[in-house]
Amino acid sequence: MIKLNEQGEPEAGLDLPADAVAGALAPLFGDVPDLTVPIAPDDCAELFHDGARLGSQWFLYGGPAGVQRVAVSVWDSDSAGPGGDFRAECTPVLEVLRDLARTTGARVFLDGGDVTDAPLDRALDLLAPGGPARKRRKPDHRAADEAAERYLREYLSSAGPRLAWLRDQADGPLDFSRDSLVPLWSWAVTRFKPRPADAPTDFVVADARNRYSVPRDADLPMWFGRTALQAPAHWDDESLAIIDAIVYYLAECLLRAVPVSRWEVGHGASRSWVNEYQPVLIGFRHAGVSLPIELIGRVLILMSPVYRTFRPDLPDNGERVTPEDLRDCFDTIMSFREA
């Protein structure tokens, strides 16, 4: 969900009011403590809503004047069960999003299509069609599935060189232990730098949901711009390289700590899942439901308080950079590990 200008593009000043978002989400979440303070631009609040079969993960992305974007991933914990049961649990989720859109003038997109004003049943057909989740994939998705598998192999093949680069750059031993994450993050925060504000960028419209800026003539990690959420154009090239390396390193720490975990292409019950086709770690669960872990977004969330150190003009939301931030991220993910 996002608010667009008359040209169909996101624009500063078109953010959704935080109180309107909190009020719309109240039927599912009650009070939303993450909205009692402003969400910084490029930061994100993460919420979970679960039903008997429904699992959902909500991302509220901050903007200069409120909430810039609401992204929701939905999955079915029993995809072999009756489709109507899952559909019934999806209904209030979709109604909340459409009510918020009507209140604020935002638009709701599913699989790239605008369903803000579509009949409810037609919108639900995109979110919760009948039948098991994997069998619902249509033959014309095969090319996208194959491309995602190729991307995963290419992404993993880049891990070794990037980790070797990190080992040469960083201070202290990198032994893939939990304790190594504190000195690694302490070193990294001294190296992060924003890209100059006047650096030239190009605006990219990949599809209805993915619109972002790309720095011109920059050395970018392979994942940059794969989605709009993975396009932090405000960090300079070295910062992006460090972020890239830290994601690989954090993944290796988790793979060693959770023997059942492994890399896979992310798939949800619907192709509108925010991490569909992205590299994810599996071997983690939340409320009894499998929870694929996408790491790039989680590390980018850690960058928000770092960015604030360069932008004292932003509203103070109480966030501070600490040496334990990366280790705390590791601990949070470890709390979801399968027994």
Side-chain angles (χ1 to χ4, degrees):
M1 166 180 286
I2 193 169
K3 195 167 183 179
L4 307 177
N5 62 18
E6 293 180 357
Q7 288 73 45
E9 300 175 353
E11 182 178 301
L14 295 183
D15 298 331
L16 312 181
D19 56 352
V21 176
L25 269 55
L28 295 180
F29 298 99
D31 293 334
V32 186
D34 290 295
L35 292 179
T36 59
V37 295
I39 305 174
D42 303 309
D43 197 3
C44 171
E46 185 178 10
L47 304 170
F48 292 92
H49 169 70
D50 300 312
R53 283 176 52 179
L54 171 99
S56 67
Q57 191 174 12
W58 298 62
F59 301 88
L60 313 181
Y61 292 90
V67 178
Q68 183 184 71
R69 178 192 296 260
V70 178
V72 185
S73 61
V74 173
W75 59 91
D76 187 353
S77 62
D78 182 16
S79 59
D85 293 348
F86 179 60
R87 188 182 180 96
E89 291 189 40
C90 288
T91 300
V93 170
L94 186 55
E95 287 178 336
V96 160
L97 292 171
R98 282 153 58 99
D99 286 346
L100 177 58
R102 284 189 284 269
T103 300
T104 62
R107 310 302 297 176
V108 180
F109 295 94
L110 292 177
D111 288 344
D114 188 337
V115 299
T116 311
D117 303 313
L120 180 60
D121 284 346
R122 187 180 303 170
L124 281 169
D125 286 342
L126 294 173
L127 185 61
R134 289 302 174 93
K135 291 183 180 179
R136 285 200 299 268
R137 294 188 178 278
K138 299 178 181 179
D140 60 358
H141 295 167
R142 182 166 26 184
D145 291 341
E146 292 173 351
E149 292 288 351
R150 289 194 299 271
Y151 176 82
L152 176 62
R153 291 193 295 271
E154 183 181 357
Y155 178 74
L156 297 182
S157 70
S158 300
R162 185 62 89 188
L163 288 171
W165 175 86
L166 182 65
R167 192 177 298 277
D168 290 340
Q169 298 289 320
D171 297 330
L174 299 181
D175 58 5
F176 303 110
S177 67
R178 174 180 180 270
D179 289 341
S180 68
L181 295 170
V182 173
L184 174 59
W185 189 248
S186 298
W187 165 81
V189 296
T190 68
R191 300 286 292 269
F192 293 133
K193 291 186 298 183
R195 193 174 299 275
D198 58 354
T201 61
D202 296 307
F203 187 71
V204 174
V205 180
D207 54 44
R209 293 182 297 173
N210 291 318
R211 303 153 183 260
Y212 48 86
S213 295
V214 177
R216 199 173 299 167
D217 300 322
D219 183 11
L220 304 174
M222 63 182 297
W223 46 262
F224 189 99
R226 188 163 166 82
T227 70
L229 308 180
Q230 296 179 0
H234 51 280
W235 293 111
D236 72 0
D237 287 7
E238 183 185 42
S239 299
L240 292 173
I242 295 172
I243 292 169
D244 189 36
I246 284 177
V247 170
Y248 283 124
Y249 186 82
L250 177 60
E252 288 300 319
C253 293
L254 291 163
L255 289 166
R256 285 163 168 76
V258 183
V260 300
S261 63
R262 67 180 186 275
W263 284 104
E264 276 196 3
V265 173
H267 288 305
S270 165
R271 289 201 305 140
S272 62
W273 184 45
V274 69
N275 292 320
E276 185 76 3
Y277 295 137
Q278 301 306 315
V280 298
L281 289 182
I282 65 168
F284 304 87
R285 302 183 74 81
H286 173 73
V289 178
S290 177
L291 179 63
I293 302 295
E294 194 282 313
L295 291 177
I296 295 172
R298 289 179 179 266
V299 172
L300 290 178
I301 289 172
L302 300 184
M303 299 296 295
S304 173
V306 180
Y307 185 65
R308 285 178 168 277
T309 64
F310 298 98
R311 290 288 307 276
D313 56 306
L314 292 175
D316 186 356
N317 68 353
E319 289 184 331
R320 300 292 183 270
V321 179
T322 76
E324 295 79 23
D325 288 342
L326 185 60
R327 188 186 67 188
D328 290 346
C329 177
F330 172 87
D331 290 343
T332 297
I333 297 171
M334 286 293 291
S335 71
F336 299 130
R337 67 187 182 277
E338 293 184 355

